[in-house]
Amino acid sequence: MLNLFEVIETNNMIEHERLDVRTITMGISLLDCCDSDIDTLNEKIYNKITTYAADLVSTGEAIARDFGVPIVNKRISVTPIGLVGGCACKSPEDFVTIARTLDKAAHKVGVNFIGGYSALVSKGMTTADENLIRSIPQALACTKRVCSSVNVGSTRTGLNMDGVRLMGEIVLATAQATKEQDSLGCAKLVVFCNAPDDNPFMAGAFHGVTEADAIINVGVSGPGVVKVALEKVRGENFEVLCETIKRTAFKITRVGQLVAQEASRRLGVPFGIIDLSLAPTPAVGDSVAEILEEIGLEAVGAPGTTAALAMLNDQVKKGGVMASSYVGGLSGAFIPVSEDQGMIDAVNTGALTLEKLEAMTCVCSVGLDMIAIPGDTPSSTIAGIIADEAAIGMINQKTTAIRVIPVIGKNVGDTVEFGGLLGYAPVMPVNRFSCEKFVNRGGRIPAPIHSFKN
């Protein structure tokens, strides 16, 4: 039972510390929409999404109003379209028609993003998978709400280097296709290793094939809440620090649990998972970087940054799993550059580099996220960055993701504005030594020895 003090404390988190439910995401299976006729397939997809999610936005708004908890986004994830469109789609252009249908359905029900324009190619690519991947630049250029992801590796299968090389080309092609919007299409494209089936956060969300016909996943945030809590124990030892983070994460997750259960009840859709992720925004005071600096770093990127982030990530997860039996997704700390004012400041002062960010991804929940790089970066270099990050995920049995944005026409020192929650970013330098011969070898990097478990 909640006591009066806890009610007041939670209200203070919402009013003054930027606690919010970042997203309610409805996952919808499209497997029963499969058809050999492209027009029939698109009709089935549109009808199923608009039927199941008809009340998603209004329900989210009602819960926010009734409980006084801000719910920032209402979103949809669907079965990876590479699996759904295989029978009907014979070319990349056919897949683009599905992207348009997804965008139309998302607009109809009022969500801000729909994820699942995705392919799972960790071991190999079907013809349908390759056609979908090659359609991504056009699909993201002609839609507003569609998000795309491709899983190129896993601990059990190794890394599909043919897929990695292709994604280097696709990221650059997407940047070119959306260059009039500062290559914004790349902000809606994620390359994964060990992608989770139940991730409610865009741009990497999709509805896993092991999930029910429809589910409700909730993503909660709250970097500002954690920072304020740590300010109260400034100078205390690590035991006190860790306990404070765990207790705060518990309280944040309980708010998400309440919202998730209520959304599930009102929509008549099973509750899936709570994703407790410290997902920052460009707003001052809503920064993971500022938490790390409160822990004791002069600036993110200083020696000790990786250790501080590892501790933060672990304590957040420990507190979260005590608050809900169904914690999943990516739960932990996100470190996107453009969406975190503290990260932006650290890049601008020279404290934070791409190489240090890569080291930090070994212990955080995602990977290289929302990083602007020069628009003339070769596709082979982008593929090398993807391979490095995917290898971290494969070896460490964790999810890693890459969302880099080669901004056409921009160079190191320039700034690119994405707007909204995507924020803005300084263009970061990339190592100019070539890895072209490496990524062009083709084939698959084998799974690590510890993957062999039966």
Side-chain angles (χ1 to χ4, degrees):
M1 292 290 290
L2 290 174
N3 59 40
L4 181 60
F5 174 76
E6 290 171 318
V7 172
I8 294 171
E9 186 179 41
T10 302
N11 184 66
N12 187 61
M13 289 178 180
I14 294 167
E15 290 290 327
H16 304 293
E17 299 168 13
R18 299 185 182 278
L19 173 61
D20 58 47
V21 171
R22 188 57 52 90
T23 180
I24 294 178
T25 301
M26 177 180 283
I28 302 174
S29 174
L30 300 182
L31 290 175
D32 59 351
C33 297
C34 293
D35 200 283
S36 59
D37 179 76
I38 189 69
D39 293 330
T40 304
L41 172 62
N42 278 301
E43 183 180 0
K44 287 181 177 180
I45 289 173
Y46 180 82
N47 289 339
K48 184 160 189 182
I49 292 171
T50 54
T51 299
Y52 271 76
D55 298 323
L56 176 62
V57 172
S58 60
T59 299
E61 291 172 347
I63 293 172
R65 189 168 55 248
D66 294 347
F67 288 80
V69 177
I71 300 175
V72 180
N73 300 297
K74 297 86 181 174
R75 297 167 171 172
I76 295 170
S77 63
V78 299
T79 308
I81 295 300
L83 302 176
V84 177
C87 291
C89 298
K90 307 305 180 186
S91 68
E93 291 73 25
D94 287 342
F95 274 105
V96 173
T97 68
I98 300 180
R100 293 182 184 275
T101 297
L102 294 175
D103 202 48
K104 181 181 175 184
H107 175 74
K108 173 67 175 179
V109 300
V111 296
N112 64 327
F113 284 123
I114 183 166
Y117 197 75
S118 307
L120 309 177
V121 297
S122 62
K123 199 170 184 180
M125 278 185 287
T126 65
T127 300
D129 288 329
E130 185 171 350
N131 281 335
L132 180 136
I133 290 171
R134 293 191 182 279
S135 78
I136 288 172
Q138 185 182 354
L140 296 183
C142 72
T143 59
K144 293 183 178 180
R145 298 169 181 82
V146 173
C147 291
S148 181
S149 61
V150 178
N151 190 71
V152 296
S154 75
T155 299
R156 295 303 296 263
T157 63
L159 299 184
N160 178 356
M161 290 302 292
D162 292 325
V164 169
R165 182 184 68 246
L166 178 57
M167 285 311 300
E169 298 169 2
I170 293 300
V171 169
L172 195 55
T174 302
Q176 287 282 359
T178 57
K179 63 181 180 181
E180 301 304 322
Q181 294 82 44
D182 280 334
S183 302
L184 182 63
C186 295
K188 299 186 292 177
L189 173 59
V190 180
V191 186
F192 274 115
C193 178
N194 287 324
D197 281 4
D198 55 5
N199 168 25
F201 284 111
M202 300 296 168
F206 61 84
H207 185 73
V209 295
T210 62
E211 301 284 354
D213 203 41
I215 54 169
I216 288 291
N217 292 328
V218 167
V220 294
S221 189
V225 179
V226 175
K227 181 177 183 295
V228 170
L230 295 185
E231 288 173 355
K232 298 172 183 176
V233 295
R234 189 173 292 168
E236 297 285 352
N237 63 31
F238 281 106
E239 182 179 357
V240 174
L241 184 70
C242 290
E243 283 298 313
T244 301
I245 296 170
K246 281 193 295 185
R247 289 174 183 271
T248 306
F250 176 87
K251 295 168 186 174
I252 294 170
T253 308
R254 292 302 281 178
V255 173
Q257 176 86 356
L258 174 67
V259 169
Q261 289 177 334
E262 187 63 18
S264 173
R265 185 186 68 80
R266 295 191 187 191
L267 291 166
V269 174
F271 162 50
I273 57 98
I274 298 286
D275 185 317
L276 171 62
S277 291
L278 298 182
T281 72
V284 174
D286 204 23
S287 163
V288 171
E290 290 179 8
I291 296 174
L292 297 174
E293 289 165 5
E294 181 59 42
I295 289 172
L297 304 172
E298 180 181 359
V300 173
T305 296
T306 304
L309 180 59
M311 181 199 65
L312 172 65
N313 208 55
D314 184 56
Q315 302 310 311
V316 165
K317 290 182 177 182
K318 286 174 177 174
V321 297
M322 286 296 292
S324 173
S325 297
Y326 299 102
V327 172
L330 298 165
S331 295
F334 284 18
I335 52 170
V337 172
S338 79
E339 299 171 11
D340 188 316
Q341 185 60 52
M343 295 289 180
I344 295 168
D345 293 341
V347 170
N348 285 332
T349 59
L352 187 60
T353 64
L354 189 59
E355 288 74 20
K356 184 59 178 179
L357 276 166
E358 184 180 294
M360 292 164 66
T361 65
C362 296
V363 299
C364 79
S365 288
V366 196
L368 295 172
D369 195 19
M370 288 302 293
I371 296 172
I373 60 176
D376 62 356
T377 304
S379 65
S380 59
T381 297
I382 297 171
I385 294 170
I386 293 170
D388 283 345
E389 194 60 33
I392 289 172
M394 176 183 70
I395 295 296
N396 290 292
Q397 304 179 67
K398 68 184 290 293
T399 299
T400 49
I402 305 92
R403 190 163 44 151
V404 294
I405 306 165
V407 186
I408 305 302
K410 297 287 178 103
N411 294 300
V412 175
D414 293 335
T415 298
V416 56
E417 294 277 352
F418 298 119
L421 285 176
L422 298 177
Y424 71 98
V427 178
M428 298 181 68
V430 173
N431 191 310
R432 289 295 179 174
F433 287 89
S434 175
C435 62
E436 185 173 3
K437 291 180 180 178
F438 171 71
V439 299
N440 284 340
R441 281 181 176 273
R444 183 159 50 97
I445 293 178
I449 186 64
H450 58 249
S451 70
F452 189 65
K453 297 178 182 179
N454 289 317

